[in-house]
Amino acid sequence: MIKRSPSLTDQVKSHIKEQILNDEFEGNRIPSETDLANDLGVSRTTVRDALSRLESEGVIYRKQGVGTFVNRPGLQIKSRLDEIWSYEAVLEAHGYRPSTKVLDVRREPAEPAFANALNVPVDAEILVVRKLFLEDHQPVILTCNYIPQVLIQKPFETTDLKVPVFDFLGEFGDQHLSYYLSEIVPVVATESLAHTLHVPALTAVLSLEEIGFNEENKPILKACSYFRDDLLRLGLIRRKV
Amino acid sequence: MIKRSPSLTDQVKSHIKEQILNDEFEGNRIPSETDLANDLGVSRTTVRDALSRLESEGVIYRKQGVGTFVNRPGLQIKSRLDEIWSYEAVLEAHGYRPSTKVLDVRREPAEPAFANALNVPVDAEILVVRKLFLEDHQPVILTCNYIPQVLIQKPFETTDLKVPVFDFLGEFGDQHLSYYLSEIVPVVATESLAHTLHVPALTAVLSLEEIGFNEENKPILKACSYFRDDLLRLGLIRRKV
């Protein structure tokens, strides 16, 4: 699989976060920037940058004149909405044993609103993939991904779509998802959605309507996901600006 | 009103963001760190820190070897869920003319789950405030705030509760909201909620269930808010981790 190497700051950030999750810092205290820089063999600036991001994500906090500490409440959220994880990883974080089922794959012409959002001509061919993420045969998340066919450069099989959509886009389209612009929409499940998710009709379901962008800020993907609130609660940290 | 002065990094970040929103950077290009540091009379490290945060918030992006640029898609979201704004400001960003109505103020003993979340004894007195945020007489957001009475140090009138809850906590409790841990919950409006929000019964409504923490990571507030999806859509940027 083709993967872009993350920046040094991101690597340092991930490394420190992993140490935090493994409870490796005594008294929840993060070592000094200088110590971290020496331990990791990177510059203090890189460490500073990584810590600043962890702070803004609510993973750590600075106490003026005392030091930097792990922010335990910030680690409670298992499905952080402001981060893109594979849904398999999200389900695992909840202690579930995830499986994935590709419900259907079809091609359809882009409607004007879609074409506009994805920056392709009207009627351009769109690959539409519907997938279900399950925990022990129980559906938890339904996703529908819309990918401009023109981005896909290599032939693929339906089974190639079982991986996270960003991995599929990387491998078969050489497109690298950088971020989603996401809208959060509450919906009352239609009969068909309720049937797919195994919930009673008229259940409230959370949906995410998203446009995915690559590192050049070009739209490469439209996604719509539905989450069963009884099995998976999305959360995040909201900070003062 | 008592206000904590934001850190220098936060001030620089706000200043740059304001310039971005006012379209002050030619060709959407952010000046170099050195130029910004000189212009603002702060260190390059502070500028770096501020830019790193703006980047992680999706407001700007770096193009390797080319420069740093405004990320227009990232500015599209008018109600960013990962940031705490006053709801008046959110409504204004949507072009609405907001008004606030305190629906009721009461005191009640903390139930065990509440007491646990707010770290107060069971049956401790909780101040409960329900407020409606309107656009031109149309309800848009209903909030319910639960504040431990013990935090409130000064007498207040009902009209004092018209300000954003974090300003009330600052002025009457000397408590400074730093962040919320938030869960996003889709609900089907009950008859009573539908009536309050002026929507048909069985409408899907987005709710936020939150615990607010101060700068010492102590819980100071529980909040529950309901948003009319037809008038206000919450959004955010989700990034690869």
Side-chain angles (χ1 to χ4, degrees):
Chain A
M1 196 160 311
I2 303 159
K3 286 226 170 158
R4 293 280 282 265
S5 56
S7 76
L8 195 57
T9 301
D10 286 337
Q11 286 180 49
V12 168
K13 190 187 118 187
S14 297
H15 181 82
I16 297 173
K17 188 159 177 188
E18 205 166 301
Q19 287 185 287
I20 288 171
L21 293 174
N22 292 337
D23 221 356
E24 288 176 27
F25 295 121
E26 224 185 284
N28 285 328
R29 175 192 281 274
I30 310 292
S32 74
E33 288 174 10
T34 314
D35 285 353
L36 283 171
N38 289 341
D39 285 358
L40 302 171
V42 297
S43 74
R44 251 192 84 191
T45 312
T46 303
V47 167
R48 244 190 98 86
D49 236 23
L51 290 179
S52 176
R53 290 192 185 197
L54 287 170
E55 189 188 8
S56 90
E57 289 172 11
V59 172
I60 61 172
Y61 65 98
R62 292 168 213 236
K63 224 169 165 173
Q64 204 88 42
V66 184
T68 303
F69 298 89
V70 175
N71 185 17
R72 288 281 148 210
L75 296 174
Q76 277 171 21
I77 307 176
K78 293 200 191 76
S79 327
R80 279 195 61 167
L81 187 56
D82 47 344
E83 298 178 347
I84 303 176
W85 298 79
S86 75
Y87 288 135
E88 287 91 339
V90 168
L91 292 179
E92 273 169 14
H94 278 257
Y96 295 155
R97 282 155 305 166
S99 64
T100 312
K101 197 168 150 185
V102 178
L103 295 184
D104 50 68
V105 181
R106 56 179 202 273
R107 285 166 179 83
E108 58 183 41
E111 287 173 26
F114 264 58
N116 186 39
L118 289 172
N119 204 17
V120 294
V122 173
D123 289 341
E125 199 178 39
I126 303 287
L127 179 67
V128 184
V129 183
R130 288 202 320 142
K131 280 203 292 190
L132 207 51
F133 295 82
L134 307 100
E135 129 74 359
D136 195 20
H137 308 297
Q138 187 84 307
V140 187
I141 308 170
L142 169 68
T143 65
C144 198
N145 290 308
Y146 304 84
I147 304 165
Q149 181 64 47
V150 68
L151 295 182
I152 306 304
Q153 302 163 340
K154 289 197 264 177
F156 62 89
E157 312 275 330
T158 300
T159 51
D160 293 323
L161 290 160
K162 287 199 85 173
V163 300
V165 66
F166 44 81
D167 287 340
F168 173 80
L169 275 164
E171 186 166 357
F172 292 91
D174 199 21
Q175 293 289 334
H176 303 277
L177 182 68
S178 172
Y179 63 92
Y180 281 120
L181 280 193
S182 309
E183 288 194 330
I184 303 153
V185 188
V187 296
V188 177
T190 58
E191 210 170 306
S192 145
L193 178 60
H195 181 256
T196 306
L197 285 178
H198 293 191
V199 294
L202 300 184
T203 300
V205 168
L206 196 72
S207 83
L208 286 184
E209 295 184 3
E210 317 189 273
I211 309 279
F213 291 81
N214 69 11
E215 282 153 329
E216 280 84 46
N217 284 283
K218 299 217 169 64
I220 55 172
L221 167 73
K222 191 169 150 50
C224 193
S225 315
Y226 300 91
F227 299 82
R228 263 182 68 169
D229 179 61
D230 58 335
L231 293 177
L232 196 71
R233 180 65 58 86
L234 296 173
L236 80 165
I237 290 186
R238 304 176 61 216
R239 303 191 75 80
K240 286 275 279 178
V241 286
Chain B
M1 197 161 310
I2 302 159
K3 286 226 174 161
R4 293 281 283 265
S5 56
S7 75
L8 197 56
T9 302
D10 287 337
Q11 287 179 50
V12 168
K13 191 187 118 187
S14 297
H15 182 81
I16 297 173
K17 189 160 178 189
E18 204 166 302
Q19 286 185 289
I20 289 172
L21 293 174
N22 292 337
D23 220 356
E24 288 177 26
F25 295 121
E26 224 184 284
N28 285 329
R29 176 192 281 275
I30 309 291
S32 73
E33 288 174 10
T34 314
D35 285 353
L36 282 171
N38 289 341
D39 285 358
L40 303 171
V42 296
S43 75
R44 251 193 83 192
T45 312
T46 303
V47 167
R48 243 191 99 86
D49 235 25
L51 290 179
S52 175
R53 290 191 185 198
L54 287 170
E55 189 188 7
S56 90
E57 289 172 13
V59 172
I60 61 172
Y61 66 98
R62 292 167 214 237
K63 225 169 166 172
Q64 204 89 40
V66 184
T68 302
F69 298 88
V70 175
N71 185 18
R72 288 280 148 211
L75 296 174
Q76 278 171 20
I77 307 176
K78 293 200 193 75
S79 327
R80 280 195 60 167
L81 188 56
D82 47 345
E83 299 178 346
I84 303 176
W85 298 79
S86 75
Y87 288 134
E88 286 90 340
V90 169
L91 292 178
E92 272 168 16
H94 279 257
Y96 294 156
R97 283 154 304 168
S99 64
T100 311
K101 197 167 150 186
V102 178
L103 295 183
D104 50 69
V105 181
R106 56 179 202 274
R107 286 168 178 82
E108 58 183 40
E111 288 173 27
F114 264 59
N116 186 39
L118 289 172
N119 204 17
V120 294
V122 173
D123 290 340
E125 199 178 40
I126 302 287
L127 180 66
V128 185
V129 183
R130 288 202 320 142
K131 280 204 290 189
L132 207 52
F133 296 82
L134 308 100
E135 129 74 359
D136 195 20
H137 308 297
Q138 187 85 306
V140 187
I141 309 170
L142 169 68
T143 65
C144 198
N145 290 308
Y146 304 85
I147 304 165
Q149 181 64 46
V150 68
L151 295 181
I152 305 304
Q153 302 164 339
K154 287 196 265 177
F156 62 90
E157 312 276 329
T158 299
T159 51
D160 293 322
L161 289 160
K162 288 199 84 171
V163 300
V165 66
F166 42 83
D167 287 340
F168 173 80
L169 275 164
E171 187 167 355
F172 293 91
D174 199 20
Q175 292 290 333
H176 303 278
L177 182 67
S178 172
Y179 63 92
Y180 281 119
L181 280 191
S182 308
E183 289 193 330
I184 302 153
V185 188
V187 296
V188 177
T190 58
E191 209 170 308
S192 145
L193 179 59
H195 181 256
T196 307
L197 285 179
H198 292 192
V199 295
L202 301 183
T203 300
V205 168
L206 195 72
S207 83
L208 287 183
E209 293 184 4
E210 317 190 273
I211 309 279
F213 291 82
N214 69 11
E215 283 152 329
E216 280 85 46
N217 284 281
K218 299 217 169 67
I220 55 172
L221 168 73
K222 191 169 152 47
C224 193
S225 315
Y226 299 91
F227 299 81
R228 264 182 67 170
D229 179 62
D230 58 336
L231 293 178
L232 195 72
R233 180 65 57 88
L234 295 173
L236 80 166
I237 289 186
R238 303 177 60 215
R239 303 191 76 79
K240 286 276 277 178
V241 285

